[in-house]
Amino acid sequence: EFDFPVWTPATSEAFATYGEVDDDKAVAVQNIRVPSTEQVWPQFGELSVSVTSTALQSMVDAFLYVYNYNFMYAEQRASRILSCTAMRDVIEAFSKVDESCGKKAPTGKEIDDTVLSDFAYLEKLQDQSTGGFSFWGGSEINVFVSIHVALAVSHAIFHKYDVSHTMAQKLEKFCTLKNCEAH
């Protein structure tokens, strides 16, 4: 018999304050109480503050969340493709994101490479007989996931990404009303 400690996982706290200052003489104030060293665990201890002069920062934050999301199955990859095609030019134009907060924006080339990599993954995941997609390989084809991937394919084609013609054709065939109603 022996004793061993069971630790309750610490959770990090994060919050954001977004606002707008319209008047040249206006001042924005946000009070911050810095925790004492006894309140900070080394593995979670960090205080980072970033200030931006553009409303695009919240969009960049949302993009980076989707772009760096850890769980990547069909639905998440399609969502990342959609956000990459929608935000690529904005991210490239406003890529001066504060790296001290661990939020480094990808370059245009990194975004393009990610989109192509996601399509390569999706092409392997696509059901070859129906053209549809499941949440993850080997599970039942899901019409909503398939339509979500189809939306990502259409946006990528619109934005001149090289999408597999075979994958797009099979997906188009799957997305007929008759076929979707059958699933």
Side-chain angles (χ1 to χ4, degrees):
E1 192 173 309
F2 60 92
D3 292 334
F4 62 92
V6 177
W7 293 69
T8 303
T11 57
S12 59
E13 180 180 344
F15 70 93
T17 301
Y18 294 98
E20 189 174 302
V21 179
D22 291 329
D23 186 357
D24 287 343
K25 295 176 184 155
V27 175
V29 176
Q30 175 65 49
N31 294 325
I32 300 173
R33 185 180 56 85
V34 179
S36 69
T37 55
E38 293 84 34
Q39 295 174 305
V40 176
W41 290 18
Q43 63 269 38
F44 291 101
E46 176 183 48
L47 172 64
S48 65
V49 177
S50 69
V51 179
T52 180
S53 62
T54 175
L56 291 173
Q57 184 63 46
S58 59
M59 289 174 49
V60 171
D61 288 345
F63 170 81
L64 291 174
Y65 176 81
V66 173
Y67 186 82
N68 294 310
Y69 192 69
N70 290 330
F71 306 102
M72 284 291 157
Y73 300 107
E75 179 185 12
Q76 292 83 2
R77 287 182 189 261
S79 294
R80 182 162 64 183
I81 291 167
L82 285 167
S83 65
C84 284
T85 57
M87 292 289 294
R88 184 192 185 284
D89 294 340
V90 172
I91 296 299
E92 198 165 43
F94 296 95
S95 64
K96 303 272 188 279
V97 178
D98 184 3
E99 293 182 30
S100 67
C101 298
K103 297 189 289 186
K104 179 186 177 297
T107 65
K109 181 179 179 348
E110 289 170 330
I111 292 172
D112 294 343
D113 291 346
T114 297
V115 168
L116 296 176
S117 172
D118 284 346
F119 274 124
Y121 177 88
L122 288 171
E123 192 169 10
K124 292 176 188 169
L125 192 61
Q126 186 176 32
D127 183 80
Q128 296 306 306
S129 62
T130 67
F133 287 86
S134 59
F135 282 99
W136 49 83
S139 64
E140 185 178 334
I141 300 302
N142 183 288
V143 68
F144 299 106
V145 173
S146 300
I147 291 171
H148 190 56
V149 172
L151 180 63
V153 167
S154 68
H155 280 258
I157 290 170
F158 178 80
H159 288 279
K160 309 290 189 244
Y161 281 95
D162 186 22
V163 178
S164 164
H165 187 68
T166 304
M167 181 176 82
Q169 276 187 322
K170 287 180 182 178
L171 191 52
E172 184 178 18
K173 181 182 171 202
F174 177 86
C175 289
T176 63
L177 182 59
K178 181 181 174 187
N179 199 19
C180 286
E181 286 177 341
H183 284 84

